[in-house]
Amino acid sequence: ALRALRPLKVISRGEGLQVVVSSLVLAAPSVLHLAAFGCLLSYVFAIIGVQMFMAQFDRCTDETVSSRDDCLSQPEHWSEASERWEPREWKRPAFNFDSVPNGMVTLFVVTTMDNWEKIMFQAMDIAGEGNQPVENNQSWTAVYFVIFVTLSGMIWFNIFVGAVVSTYSKLQGLCVLLNTLLMALPAIFNVGSLMLLVCIVYAVVGMFLFGEVNGYEGSAIGEHANFWHFGTSLLAVLRIVTTDNWAELLVDILNCNDGGSSPNWDCPIDLFAIIYFITLIGLCNTVMLNLIVAVIIDKFIINAHEEGLLAA
């Protein structure tokens, strides 16, 4: 597994990469403080979410029933859509608020804005524990998600960018920054190279952790998105970094052990999967991309000063 870290040796050979890594190290204290604030925010909202939604996201595969007892009274039901008999099951979605850890994972998905509205709609449909959800039965619960998205998305991440921008500016020095956006490309290339190295490492680790996970009909894990080989594993990592329906990949991996409809918290691979996805998104999508924004903003500010658009 340690072989996956070998690509990072390239950093010692590139001066530009060393500058980027140095800026990240200097920014680490501020970033960690903000990350702690983000975790605390998620923890508080997860507790509130458990109180509001615990065991209420569950639903029957047969939409015609009104409760869990009715759902489990018969093993099958006739599906008009597929025109065949299908199993009648009382299912729990992978992302829920049945516990504080589950709630924090669910809120992390909401933070990345990856189909977060689906989770909000599930909350708006709750009808009490053991009852089949009813569309827009509790529409007011949308306020919970709007407030969380506003706090986490607009405040936490924007402050995160500010911390990296400030540190990068001190490291580079305004006097050495060029006055055009085009000249920011070398710095962006260095950051992009570091991002690629991190993605390569995660692709190799992903093969080690999830290489045996097979998909099923309709799942996200399949021929074009998997961790079976290095090439497809790297593509899967890039999909996660861009937050392109990344939560679907996580759901398939969480369900790979028991074939159920919810994560099995007793299985170690589930914890590894959650840590793997969250750290990958945190490193590449949050830190690295915000560092690119920092470079561009610095170049823009210098250019604006030289053009007299901003006061000194």
Side-chain angles (χ1 to χ4, degrees), residues 169-190:
S169 296
K170 294 176 184 179
L171 181 69
Q172 290 292 85
L174 295 178
C175 61
V176 300
L177 295 178
L178 300 179
N179 61 353
T180 62
L181 183 61
L182 181 62
M183 297 307 294
L185 290 179
I188 294 176
F189 175 79
N190 290 329

Side-chain angles (χ1 to χ4, degrees), residues 153-209:
M154 298 181 61
I155 297 179
W156 179 35
F157 278 167
N158 285 339
I159 296 177
F160 207 122
V161 174
V164 179
V165 169
S166 176
T167 304
Y168 191 87
S169 296
K170 294 176 184 179
L171 181 69
Q172 290 292 85
L174 295 178
C175 61
V176 300
L177 295 178
L178 300 179
N179 61 353
T180 62
L181 183 61
L182 181 62
M183 297 307 294
L185 290 179
I188 294 176
F189 175 79
N190 290 329
V191 177
S193 299
L194 184 58
M195 284 183 61
L196 179 60
L197 289 175
V198 172
C199 288
I200 291 174
V201 170
Y202 269 82
V204 175
V205 174
M207 292 171 57
F208 174 76
L209 292 176

